[in-house]
């Protein structure tokens, strides 16, 4: 299903799926989950308990080999004590059930809550950094023999930083789309303002484009580490979810991107005290030094300055699911540019 399709998710063949899992029981209810932008998820209640049923529908990660690799990684991480929720094995020992060309996986249901940075204390921010460091070091152990053969999201090692000239062209296209809507609303007005503002910033800082990183410290990363993919029970994380974007990338960049999502505030600023606690813990747990984080901060800042994925979804794909994120995300790029030195110091100090 394409992202432009925002209708209710399709009803999965729950009965047929569960017949492959004799210990899961008989289905009683199946409720779609509203959170998540790429794949479809359902809470399934059976005569034996509750499960999370995942329909791998995203075009870039739904092939069977990619899903099996994710499952293999989470099983191995669990053996190291990383909080994950590996899939249940079917009668034939497989963890992927394919029906009518669609791939499904059944996971144990994990009770918990999602917590954004505003809900985390400094101590919990420290634990979050330690957790991501444990993910990266754990993946280095369990994925040592794996090759990055599938589209895991993000960029491959040695990627090229975005070109400002390409972004200027995109800004022009998006401005035309925002101005050309028959019934403009407050979002369109904000989009136009942010696009014009960003164009000025890119003209001013075009010479700050980071050089191609060459060989940064790359490794297997989760690929999508943010509040909706971490479940808490009380003060502690109990499960890291959704490993669809598992891939080889510069590790420190995942740490910076995650902080920019966890600790962004509604006005588009970062809680730098929590960022500092998180980053110190991450560096200790992952064995990363300040220079590695400083380079990642610069690359992710430039990436954010050139990124308009939410507007592309809205104006190019007619998909508004990410619209609520735009005010804070777009403001963050401007604030980060103004407070660049303070942000870098929070990640490296």
């Amino acid at each position: 299903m394409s992202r432009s399709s925002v209708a209710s998710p399709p009803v999965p063949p729950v009965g047929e799926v569960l017949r492959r899992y004799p210990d899961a029981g008989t289905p009683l209810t199946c409720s779609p989950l509203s959170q998540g932008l790429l794949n479809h998820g359902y809470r399934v209640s059976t005569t034996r308990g509750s499960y999370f049923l995942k329909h791998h529908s995203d075009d870039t990660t739904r092939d069977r080999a990619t899903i099996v690799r994710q499952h293999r990684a989470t099983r191995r991480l669990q053996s190291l004590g990383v909080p994950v929720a590996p899939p249940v094995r079917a009668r034939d020992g497989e963890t992927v059930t394919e029906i009518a060309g669609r791939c499904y996986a059944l996971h144990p249901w994990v009770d918990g809550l999602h917590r954004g940075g505003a809900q985390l204390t400094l101590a919990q921010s420290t634990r979050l950094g330690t957790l991501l460091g444990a993910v990266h070091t754990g993946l280095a152990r369990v994925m040592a023999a794996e090759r990055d053969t599938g589209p895991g999201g993000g960029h491959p090692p040695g990627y090229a930083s975005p070109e400002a000239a390409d972004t200027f062209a995109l800004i022009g296209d998006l401005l035309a789309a925002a101005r050309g809507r028959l019934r403009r609303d407050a979002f369109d007005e904000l989009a136009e303002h942010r696009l014009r503002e960003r164009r000025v910033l890119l003209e001013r800082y075009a010479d700050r484009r980071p050089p191609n990183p060459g060989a940064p410290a790359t490794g297997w990363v989760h690929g999508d580490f943010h509040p909706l993919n971490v479940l808490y029970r009380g003060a502690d994380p109990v499960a890291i979810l959704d490993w669809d974007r598992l891939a080889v990338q510069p590790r420190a960049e995942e740490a910076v991107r995650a902080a920019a999502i966890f600790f962004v505030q509604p006005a588009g600023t970062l809680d730098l005290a929590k960022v500092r606690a998180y980053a110190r813990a991450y560096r200790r747990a992952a064995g990363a030094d300040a220079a590695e984080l400083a380079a990642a901060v610069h690359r992710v800042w430039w990436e954010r300055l050139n990124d308009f994925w939410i507007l592309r979804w809205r104006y190019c794909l007619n998909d508004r699911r990410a619209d609520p994120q735009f005010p804070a995300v777009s403001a963050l790029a401007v604030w980060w540019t103004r407070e660049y030195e303070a942000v870098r110091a929070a990640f490296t100090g």
Side-chain angles (χ1 to χ4, degrees), residues 89-122:
R89 290 187 183 275
R91 179 187 292 107
D92 59 4
E94 298 293 328
T95 57
V96 178
T97 294
E98 191 168 348
I99 298 173
R102 295 176 174 178
C103 289
Y104 299 90
L106 192 68
H107 297 257
W109 181 263
V110 179
D111 284 317
L113 299 173
H114 302 289
R115 295 185 181 276
Q119 299 170 291
L120 300 180
T121 64
L122 282 175

Side-chain angles (χ1 to χ4, degrees), residues 207-219:
D207 63 340
R208 297 286 301 276
R209 175 179 179 264
N212 293 344
T218 59

Side-chain angles (χ1 to χ4, degrees), residues 82-85 110 131 229-233 236-241 243:
V82 177
V84 290
V110 179
L131 177 63
N229 284 339
V230 181
L231 273 180
Y232 280 80
R233 190 174 303 142
D236 300 315
V238 292
I240 303 169
L241 311 173
W243 293 77

Side-chain angles (χ1 to χ4, degrees), residues 56 63-82 84-89 93-96 105-107 135 138-150 220-221 240 242-244 246-247:
H56 290 266
D63 65 285
R64 188 183 187 94
T66 297
I67 301 168
V68 168
R69 183 175 64 186
Q70 298 163 18
H71 293 173
R72 188 162 56 238
T74 55
R75 289 199 307 273
R76 293 171 177 172
L77 285 174
Q78 187 179 53
S79 71
L80 299 180
V82 177
V84 290
V88 179
R89 290 187 183 275
E94 298 293 328
T95 57
V96 178
L106 192 68
H107 297 257
V135 168
L139 285 172
R141 291 176 59 184
V142 305
M143 301 293 284
E146 300 273 354
R147 293 185 301 115
D148 186 16
T149 56
W220 287 94
V221 299
I240 303 169
D242 290 344
W243 293 77
D244 303 276
L246 177 71

Side-chain angles (χ1 to χ4, degrees), residues 24-219:
T26 303
L28 299 174
T29 62
C30 177
S31 304
L33 303 176
S34 59
Q35 293 172 324
L37 295 176
L38 298 179
N39 296 293
H40 301 308
Y42 308 84
R43 180 171 185 170
V44 176
S45 296
T46 78
T47 53
R48 301 279 181 85
S50 293
Y51 296 89
F52 171 67
L53 176 63
K54 184 168 185 175
H55 170 202
H56 290 266
S57 56
D58 180 56
D59 290 341
T60 62
T61 59
R62 66 184 182 183
D63 65 285
R64 188 183 187 94
T66 297
I67 301 168
V68 168
R69 183 175 64 186
Q70 298 163 18
H71 293 173
R72 188 162 56 238
T74 55
R75 289 199 307 273
R76 293 171 177 172
L77 285 174
Q78 187 179 53
S79 71
L80 299 180
V82 177
V84 290
V88 179
R89 290 187 183 275
R91 179 187 292 107
D92 59 4
E94 298 293 328
T95 57
V96 178
T97 294
E98 191 168 348
I99 298 173
R102 295 176 174 178
C103 289
Y104 299 90
L106 192 68
H107 297 257
W109 181 263
V110 179
D111 284 317
L113 299 173
H114 302 289
R115 295 185 181 276
Q119 299 170 291
L120 300 180
T121 64
L122 282 175
Q124 289 171 327
S125 301
T126 296
R127 284 202 288 274
L128 183 68
T130 300
L131 177 63
L132 184 56
V135 168
H136 288 175
T137 57
L139 285 172
R141 291 176 59 184
V142 305
M143 301 293 284
E146 300 273 354
R147 293 185 301 115
D148 186 16
T149 56
H155 49 69
Y159 82 112
S161 301
E163 294 276 4
D166 295 334
T167 306
F168 288 140
L170 175 60
I171 288 174
D173 293 341
L174 293 172
L175 275 172
R179 291 168 176 167
R181 297 181 69 85
L182 293 177
R183 296 181 179 179
R184 285 168 57 85
D185 57 21
F187 185 103
D188 300 312
E189 297 287 345
L190 177 62
E192 183 177 348
H193 167 71
R194 290 303 189 193
L195 286 163
R196 288 188 281 104
E197 180 180 53
R198 196 77 63 84
R199 185 164 56 190
V200 170
L201 287 176
L202 281 168
E203 290 170 349
R204 184 179 304 163
Y205 294 102
D207 63 340
R208 297 286 301 276
R209 175 179 179 264
N212 293 344
T218 59

Side-chain angles (χ1 to χ4, degrees), residues 187 189-198 201 260 264-269 304-311 322-338:
F187 185 103
E189 297 287 345
L190 177 62
E192 183 177 348
H193 167 71
R194 290 303 189 193
L195 286 163
R196 288 188 281 104
E197 180 180 53
R198 196 77 63 84
L201 287 176
V264 66
Q265 299 173 314
T269 63
R304 287 299 189 98
L305 206 58
N306 285 266
D307 185 42
F308 297 97
W309 73 271
I310 297 173
L311 297 186
D323 283 8
Q325 301 179 42
F326 182 70
V329 168
S330 60
L332 175 60
V334 179
W335 178 86
W336 191 337
T337 302
R338 186 173 67 246

Side-chain angles (χ1 to χ4, degrees), residues 277-310:
Y278 157 92
R280 284 176 177 172
Y282 172 78
R283 296 201 313 269
R284 286 194 299 269
D289 60 24
E292 183 181 344
L293 267 293
V297 167
H298 189 64
R299 291 195 300 269
V300 177
W301 162 75
W302 180 257
E303 178 184 273
R304 287 299 189 98
L305 206 58
N306 285 266
D307 185 42
F308 297 97
W309 73 271
I310 297 173

